[in-house]
């Protein structure tokens, strides 16, 4: 078994981004600039946005975080998005999800200029991705592709089973693995006899958010297992009061796999680097 070490690979990519930014600055080119909008005070969202800001600063990007009270109206939020759309100094914009219930996430996602949509959530970018055209890929699937490429994992002709059909991970991942010549199956909460599918899989990508869902008897010998799940599970013995658990029962599965991601330190850091790569690309798009 070989560990798919997201910390190590993401650090290599960060170093190359850092170098690229220095080169851009020396050549008088624009410094990439990411703006993030955070609405309300959801703990996980605050942590994610803080991490994204830290990542930007670390690689030499400019970073702006706009924070709004959870009571902001949908119209007022759209007006803020439009201001950033017009701002020639900002290359990429993300609105951290989830948003408060009175705000329609679809409307907000569609209000972001697709040229600044470094999350890759805008229908224009989703369409481009499905057609295999160059565009902003959603950060987690993008990060997973980078991990697969780094470890030179064979994909052509392989059976890939994706567990989960979210717009952010499962659906885009299915299109991207198809482009890598896999035979792709997407399983979800209504799938019957799910292990009949996973036992046939050469590559399994688990993205359902159910801690320790994938057990050893659901996986064939030699499979590649990629765990997108990262759920906070109460743990009073831990200083933070919780531990992070993936969708995969790592302890039970690891010896059976050819490659497996740990949680934490697998997909998580690759997602963060995916957003940085998109922001770097966004800096060269005409505004
Ligand atoms: N919430 C959970 N994941 C994401 C993400 O990738 N982007 C945004 N904007 N919000 C999220």
């Amino acid at each position: 078994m070989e560990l798919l070490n997201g910390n190590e690979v993401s650090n290599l990519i960060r170093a190359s981004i850092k170098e690229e930014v220095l080169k851009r600055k020396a050549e008088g080119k624009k410094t990439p600039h990411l703006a993030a909008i955070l609405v309300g005070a959801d703990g996980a969202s605050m942590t994610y946005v803080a991490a994204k800001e830290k990542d930007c600063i670390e690689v030499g990007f400019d970073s702006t975080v706009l924070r709004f009270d959870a009571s902001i109206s949908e119209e007022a939020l759209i007006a803020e998005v439009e201001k950033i759309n017009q701002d020639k100094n900002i290359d990429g914009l993300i609105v951290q999800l989830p948003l408060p219930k009175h705000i329609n996430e679809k409307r907000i996602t569609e209000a972001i200029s697709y040229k600044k949509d470094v999350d890759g959530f805008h229908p224009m970018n989703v369409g481009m991705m499905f057609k295999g055209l160059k565009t902003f890929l959603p950060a987690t699937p993008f990060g997973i592709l980078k991990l697969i490429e780094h470890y030179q994992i064979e994909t052509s002709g392989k059976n890939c089973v994706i567990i989960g059909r979210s717009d952010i991970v499962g659906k885009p991942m299915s299109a991207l693995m198809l482009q890598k010549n896999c035979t792709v199956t997407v399983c979800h909460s209504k799938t019957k006899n799910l292990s009949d599918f996973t036992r046939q899989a050469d590559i399994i990508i688990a993205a359902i958010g159910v801690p320790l869902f994938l057990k050893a008897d659901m996986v064939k010998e030699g499979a590649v297992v990629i765990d997108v799940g990262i759920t906070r599970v109460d743990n009073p013995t831990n200083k933070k009061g919780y531990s992070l658990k993936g969708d995969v029962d790592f302890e039970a599965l690891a010896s059976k796999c050819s490659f497996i991601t740990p949680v934490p330190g697998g997909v998580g850091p690759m997602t963060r680097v995916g957003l940085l790569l998109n922001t770097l690309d966004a800096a060269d798009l005409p505004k």
Side-chain angles (χ1 to χ4, degrees):
M1 180 277 288
E2 189 175 348
L3 215 53
L4 296 169
N5 190 331
N7 284 331
E8 211 170 274
V9 179
S10 69
N11 282 337
L12 290 173
I13 298 174
R14 274 164 198 270
S16 72
I17 296 173
K18 228 170 170 168
E19 227 172 87
E20 181 63 27
V21 174
L22 285 174
K23 201 167 129 227
R24 289 180 70 90
K25 289 182 181 175
E27 290 169 352
K29 287 190 184 160
K30 192 179 176 313
T31 300
H33 187 167
L34 176 70
I37 290 182
L38 175 64
V39 180
D42 173 73
S45 291
M46 283 163 64
T47 307
Y48 290 140
V49 169
K52 289 169 188 177
E53 186 178 25
K54 182 168 158 271
D55 287 344
C56 282
I57 292 163
E58 201 232 358
V59 297
F61 291 179
D62 291 334
S63 167
T64 298
V65 178
L66 298 168
R67 295 179 172 82
F68 298 103
D69 194 85
S71 64
I72 190 171
S73 70
E74 189 174 293
E75 295 310 320
L77 188 58
I78 288 177
E80 294 294 340
V81 166
E82 278 168 0
K83 256 195 260 172
I84 297 177
N85 285 345
Q86 299 303 323
D87 187 337
K88 289 196 178 345
N89 189 34
I90 293 177
D91 303 299
L93 167 62
I94 58 162
V95 176
Q96 187 64 32
L97 305 178
L99 289 168
K101 288 202 170 43
H102 66 278
I103 298 175
N104 181 337
E105 287 184 356
K106 188 169 163 287
R107 263 196 88 195
I108 302 300
T109 303
E110 292 178 14
I112 298 172
S113 160
Y114 73 90
K115 292 179 184 167
K116 297 193 179 189
D117 169 40
V118 286
D119 261 330
F121 294 169
H122 191 285
M124 176 69 130
N125 289 325
V126 175
M128 301 256 281
M129 179 207 59
F130 265 85
K131 282 185 72 75
L133 301 171
K134 180 164 169 50
T135 188
F136 299 122
L137 302 180
T140 299
F142 192 13
I144 292 171
L145 284 190
K146 289 282 175 193
L147 205 52
I148 287 174
E149 283 162 13
H150 178 88
Y151 285 92
Q152 298 180 329
I153 290 169
E154 181 63 71
T155 53
S156 190
K158 301 294 180 185
N159 288 335
C160 175
V161 170
I162 296 164
I163 317 174
R165 54 174 157 174
S166 69
D167 286 344
I168 296 181
V169 183
K171 280 186 209 165
M173 204 69 237
S174 68
L176 295 166
M177 294 307 274
L178 196 55
Q179 284 165 25
K180 291 192 82 65
N181 297 319
C182 284
T183 302
V184 178
T185 306
V186 182
C187 296
H188 49 79
S189 54
K190 298 286 191 288
T191 300
K192 295 200 168 68
N193 305 320
L194 186 136
S195 33
D196 287 352
F197 296 98
T198 55
R199 274 193 224 108
Q200 300 290 323
D202 302 302
I203 302 170
I204 301 177
I205 301 174
I208 41 169
V210 178
L212 313 184
F213 175 84
L214 195 73
K215 304 288 184 198
D217 63 353
M218 298 165 77
V219 173
K220 77 172 181 187
E221 202 72 45
V224 176
V225 174
I226 295 172
D227 189 353
V228 182
I230 187 146
T231 307
R232 288 182 183 190
V233 176
D234 286 344
N235 180 358
T237 63
N238 190 305
K239 208 169 66 187
K240 289 183 175 159
Y242 64 85
S243 336
L244 295 173
K245 293 278 174 218
D247 291 349
V248 173
D249 188 352
F250 182 94
E251 300 296 329
L253 245 82
S255 62
K256 252 183 134 174
C257 297
S258 55
F259 292 94
I260 185 168
T261 57
V263 173
V267 172
M270 295 305 298
T271 294
R272 288 168 63 173
V273 104
L275 180 64
L276 294 176
L277 287 168
N278 280 342
T279 306
L280 183 62
D281 278 348
D284 283 330
L285 288 186
K287 302 289 173 311

